[in-house]
Amino acid sequence: MSTQVIVLNGGSSSGKSGISRCLQAILPQPWINLGVDDLVQRLPPALLSSDTGLTLGSRGQVAPGPDFQRLEAAWTAGIAAMARAGARVVIDDVFLEGTVSQERLRARLGDLDVLWVGVRCAPETAAARELARGDRTPGMAASQAESVHRGVAYDVEVDTTRAESLDCARAIASRVR
Amino acid sequence: MSTQVIVLNGGSSSGKSGISRCLQAILPQPWINLGVDDLVQRLPPALLSSDTGLTLGSRGQVAPGPDFQRLEAAWTAGIAAMARAGARVVIDDVFLEGTVSQERLRARLGDLDVLWVGVRCAPETAAARELARGDRTPGMAASQAESVHRGVAYDVEVDTTRAESLDCARAIASRVR
Amino acid sequence: MSTQVIVLNGGSSSGKSGISRCLQAILPQPWINLGVDDLVQRLPPALLSSDTGLTLGSRGQVAPGPDFQRLEAAWTAGIAAMARAGARVVIDDVFLEGTVSQERLRARLGDLDVLWVGVRCAPETAAARELARGDRTPGMAASQAESVHRGVAYDVEVDTTRAESLDCARAIASRVR
Amino acid sequence: MSTQVIVLNGGSSSGKSGISRCLQAILPQPWINLGVDDLVQRLPPALLSSDTGLTLGSRGQVAPGPDFQRLEAAWTAGIAAMARAGARVVIDDVFLEGTVSQERLRARLGDLDVLWVGVRCAPETAAARELARGDRTPGMAASQAESVHRGVAYDVEVDTTRAESLDCARAIASRVR
């Protein structure tokens, strides 16, 4: 068996995108990188200011409504089908409900060979990087930094507080079969 | 039965993205918009300068290699699975091989209820818009404007040479069930 | 004397950027393209949600406060100095106060040789293109389409309602000395 | 006297943009952030593939030609005029010729009150971050990391190898008058 999906779970501004790009650069096979941010960008803008879609609170709290949840379920079913059809996929995700989110994703990925990766970053460091990026709602980083890991089980954990994306990617790549 | 997938086929700079955004705005249900450009952006950059991946000639010719073709097949299988799982999807596509591309996509979409849309634009107009966008390889628009429609069968055809995206979207929306 | 500055005045989504890119492509000398949007993007984000900075109403009304006005005055003085130092500059602008904005800009550009260009677009067409772009606050296009031209005097006027950016650029370029 | 211009000099991917955004967030007055990258983006695309403009070698070497140098001189004269007109400006720069670049910039900024800041980053770290960003020509970071500081005199130096952008910004802000 070989790894079919790599799931990177971490809060906003924890460094998932940088790690994904490094993984794409160092892994010998081509991997597609997809994340919940890609889904959000491809939705009707009106859904992002509707209670039934996805709303952002003034302190960065994310509130997914029923329409968003239905679309996200279908989106994930699609990514699982891509992987079954032979595409290797790195999924960037944010487990807003911790272990509940993981179990839901695990069920959707079914029989696929998944490497579960925790991407940690100290809350104050993630908040500082959120400010330096300048394109995210302030508060998301701090509010998600620890809560997304609650009760989640990983094959590998990396911490970007002191390690570069490339070093984290190398640690992850060594576990890819 | 209701429409599950809208396929917009047209050359580069023919106006597919603008039509998709208008469709998302005017259709009563939420539609996800995905296209081959999204796949390209999520691939390892190295694949975009490799003969086995996807290369761009100096006059805008697109040459898909075997690795790209395998990933695109899996990508399309994934989009079909999203639609089967209940997400309505607008697919922006470029049928580089005309009717051959359509038959391949038709097979991959299988039993889904698909609305096939041709997005035409006069070659010289598409080339002028390519220049005005400033972010595409010059030549793609002109080289694809007519060839992508060769032998392709449509449910609706729109022409952005003289019509705005919103008017084209309205003509398409009137055919969505 | 030769033209040192081209000022394109038009409402949001009237097509100024596309015309600017075409001008850069067809004019024999290199021209720098700068606009009020560039200034907005380089300001502290906090200024864009402050009454003293620049605020956007829910229907697309733009309200410049005193801090923004001071910075814009300095920004324009800087662009004038670039042109005096030998850079040819295409300025994309939105004369929120019509002729008052023009006279203010005229005073700041002083002795420079300026070509004044009006970029018109029918309000309903600009609004449709705003929807198709998907990245602007709805309402800006319609509210600015006519008001920005009130009392303004031009050397050339173009209308993107029916003409492509490239054709408009050609009409403008024929007036550049 | 109070600080009118902050010059951040550092190689590609050394972290200048992140520091600039943090400076904008923590400094009490509004600062405009402009850099050589902004100029490059506003030039005619054709100039970026011309020997007289700005070319990038396959290993990230940057070669400015005579047209680019003339435009950059005018651009800098314009930024100096903005600052003289009362706008506070953070300039992101890359001193390709080390001390020669600094003396040229010092002459152009003339009598302005400038805070000179060196933004250092270990070459291998900058190269790793360049890979993680995924949007820069590989090699620029490593080739510029040390050479841009040769012979340059600073008021403050920061090192992003181990410090976050926000901490670097705080060290710089403490020197702003």
Side-chain angles (χ1 to χ4, degrees):
Chain A
M1 274 288 278
S2 64
T3 309
Q4 294 169 290
V5 174
I6 301 172
V7 174
L8 303 183
N9 175 47
S12 183
S13 293
S14 64
K16 299 182 296 295
S17 299
I19 294 175
S20 293
R21 280 189 286 263
C22 290
L23 280 170
Q24 289 187 308
I26 66 178
L27 287 168
Q29 306 281 2
W31 286 71
I32 297 177
N33 173 224
L34 285 169
V36 69
D37 281 359
D38 295 293
L39 169 61
V40 169
Q41 282 174 22
R42 310 311 293 165
L43 293 176
L47 212 65
L48 304 180
S49 53
S50 154
D51 284 351
T52 66
L54 189 74
T55 54
L56 264 184
S58 61
R59 277 169 306 174
Q61 324 91 293
V62 180
D67 279 345
F68 180 79
Q69 286 169 337
R70 264 191 296 273
L71 290 167
E72 197 201 10
W75 165 265
T76 310
I79 294 181
M82 277 179 211
R84 271 183 213 108
R88 294 167 185 84
V89 187
V90 180
I91 301 178
D92 293 4
D93 213 336
V94 182
F95 290 173
L96 290 175
E97 300 175 81
T99 185
V100 174
S101 301
Q102 183 178 36
E103 289 318 311
R104 195 161 45 213
L105 180 57
R106 193 192 299 278
R108 288 173 183 164
L109 295 178
D111 54 316
L112 289 161
D113 190 336
V114 180
L115 185 75
W116 297 92
V117 181
V119 180
R120 292 183 178 274
C121 183
E124 61 276 20
T125 302
R129 292 178 186 170
E130 181 178 69
L131 193 69
R133 292 171 72 168
D135 60 350
R136 300 293 147 134
T137 305
M140 288 179 73
S143 75
Q144 298 175 355
E146 291 173 341
S147 62
V148 301
H149 298 291
R150 244 168 240 150
V152 179
Y154 296 115
D155 298 307
V156 198
E157 290 186 64
V158 295
D159 189 327
T160 65
T161 314
R162 301 251 172 273
E164 296 295 319
S165 300
L166 181 55
D167 295 319
C168 297
R170 283 184 181 134
I172 298 162
S174 72
R175 300 292 303 274
V176 172
R177 289 182 291 184
Chain B
M1 274 288 279
S2 64
T3 309
Q4 295 169 288
V5 174
I6 301 172
V7 174
L8 304 183
N9 175 47
S12 183
S13 293
S14 63
K16 300 182 295 296
S17 300
I19 293 175
S20 294
R21 280 188 286 262
C22 289
L23 281 169
Q24 290 186 307
I26 66 178
L27 287 168
Q29 305 280 2
W31 286 71
I32 297 177
N33 174 223
L34 285 170
V36 69
D37 282 359
D38 295 293
L39 169 62
V40 169
Q41 282 174 21
R42 309 311 292 164
L43 293 175
L47 212 65
L48 304 180
S49 53
S50 153
D51 284 352
T52 67
L54 189 73
T55 54
L56 265 184
S58 60
R59 277 168 306 174
Q61 324 92 292
V62 180
D67 280 344
F68 179 81
Q69 286 170 338
R70 263 191 296 272
L71 290 167
E72 197 201 9
W75 165 264
T76 311
I79 294 181
M82 277 179 210
R84 272 185 211 105
R88 294 168 186 83
V89 187
V90 181
I91 301 178
D92 293 4
D93 213 335
V94 183
F95 290 174
L96 290 175
E97 300 175 83
T99 186
V100 174
S101 301
Q102 183 179 35
E103 290 318 311
R104 195 162 44 214
L105 180 56
R106 193 191 299 277
R108 288 172 184 165
L109 295 177
D111 53 317
L112 289 161
D113 190 336
V114 180
L115 185 75
W116 297 93
V117 181
V119 180
R120 292 183 178 273
C121 183
E124 60 276 20
T125 303
R129 292 178 186 170
E130 180 178 70
L131 193 68
R133 292 171 70 169
D135 61 350
R136 301 292 147 133
T137 305
M140 287 179 73
S143 75
Q144 298 175 355
E146 292 174 340
S147 61
V148 301
H149 298 291
R150 243 168 241 150
V152 179
Y154 296 114
D155 298 307
V156 198
E157 290 187 64
V158 295
D159 189 327
T160 65
T161 313
R162 301 251 171 273
E164 296 295 319
S165 300
L166 181 55
D167 295 319
C168 298
R170 284 183 181 134
I172 298 163
S174 72
R175 300 292 303 277
V176 172
R177 291 182 290 183
Chain C
M1 274 290 277
S2 63
T3 309
Q4 294 169 289
V5 174
I6 301 171
V7 174
L8 304 183
N9 175 48
S12 184
S13 292
S14 63
K16 300 181 296 295
S17 300
I19 294 174
S20 293
R21 280 188 286 263
C22 290
L23 281 170
Q24 289 186 308
I26 66 177
L27 287 169
Q29 306 280 3
W31 286 72
I32 297 178
N33 173 225
L34 285 169
V36 68
D37 281 0
D38 296 292
L39 169 61
V40 169
Q41 283 175 20
R42 309 311 291 164
L43 293 176
L47 212 65
L48 304 180
S49 53
S50 154
D51 284 352
T52 66
L54 189 73
T55 54
L56 264 184
S58 61
R59 279 170 304 175
Q61 324 92 291
V62 180
D67 279 345
F68 179 79
Q69 287 170 337
R70 262 191 296 273
L71 289 167
E72 198 201 10
W75 165 264
T76 311
I79 294 181
M82 275 180 212
R84 272 184 212 108
R88 293 168 185 84
V89 187
V90 181
I91 302 178
D92 293 6
D93 212 335
V94 183
F95 290 173
L96 291 175
E97 299 175 83
T99 185
V100 174
S101 302
Q102 183 179 35
E103 291 317 311
R104 196 162 43 214
L105 180 56
R106 193 192 299 277
R108 287 172 184 165
L109 295 178
D111 54 317
L112 289 161
D113 190 337
V114 180
L115 185 75
W116 297 92
V117 181
V119 180
R120 294 184 176 272
C121 183
E124 61 275 21
T125 304
R129 291 178 187 170
E130 180 179 70
L131 193 69
R133 291 171 72 168
D135 60 351
R136 301 293 148 133
T137 306
M140 287 178 74
S143 74
Q144 298 174 356
E146 292 174 341
S147 62
V148 301
H149 298 291
R150 244 168 240 151
V152 179
Y154 296 115
D155 298 307
V156 198
E157 291 186 63
V158 295
D159 189 327
T160 65
T161 313
R162 300 250 173 274
E164 296 295 319
S165 300
L166 181 55
D167 296 319
C168 297
R170 283 184 181 134
I172 298 163
S174 73
R175 299 292 303 274
V176 172
R177 289 182 290 182
Chain D
M1 276 288 278
S2 64
T3 309
Q4 294 170 289
V5 174
I6 302 172
V7 174
L8 303 183
N9 174 48
S12 184
S13 293
S14 63
K16 299 182 296 295
S17 299
I19 294 175
S20 294
R21 280 188 287 263
C22 290
L23 281 170
Q24 289 187 306
I26 66 177
L27 287 169
Q29 307 281 3
W31 286 72
I32 297 178
N33 174 224
L34 286 169
V36 69
D37 281 0
D38 296 292
L39 169 62
V40 169
Q41 282 175 21
R42 309 313 291 165
L43 293 176
L47 211 65
L48 304 180
S49 52
S50 154
D51 283 352
T52 66
L54 189 73
T55 53
L56 265 184
S58 60
R59 278 170 306 175
Q61 323 93 291
V62 180
D67 279 345
F68 180 79
Q69 287 170 337
R70 263 191 295 273
L71 289 167
E72 198 202 9
W75 165 265
T76 311
I79 294 181
M82 277 179 210
R84 271 183 214 109
R88 293 168 185 84
V89 187
V90 181
I91 302 177
D92 292 5
D93 213 334
V94 182
F95 290 173
L96 291 175
E97 299 175 83
T99 186
V100 173
S101 302
Q102 182 178 36
E103 290 317 311
R104 197 161 42 214
L105 180 57
R106 192 191 300 278
R108 288 171 184 165
L109 296 178
D111 53 318
L112 289 161
D113 191 337
V114 180
L115 185 74
W116 297 93
V117 181
V119 179
R120 293 183 177 273
C121 182
E124 61 275 20
T125 303
R129 292 177 186 171
E130 180 178 71
L131 193 68
R133 291 171 72 168
D135 61 351
R136 301 292 147 134
T137 306
M140 287 179 74
S143 76
Q144 297 174 356
E146 291 175 339
S147 61
V148 301
H149 298 291
R150 244 169 240 148
V152 179
Y154 296 115
D155 297 308
V156 198
E157 290 186 63
V158 295
D159 189 327
T160 65
T161 313
R162 301 251 173 273
E164 296 295 319
S165 299
L166 181 55
D167 296 319
C168 297
R170 284 184 181 134
I172 298 163
S174 73
R175 298 292 303 274
V176 172
R177 289 182 290 182

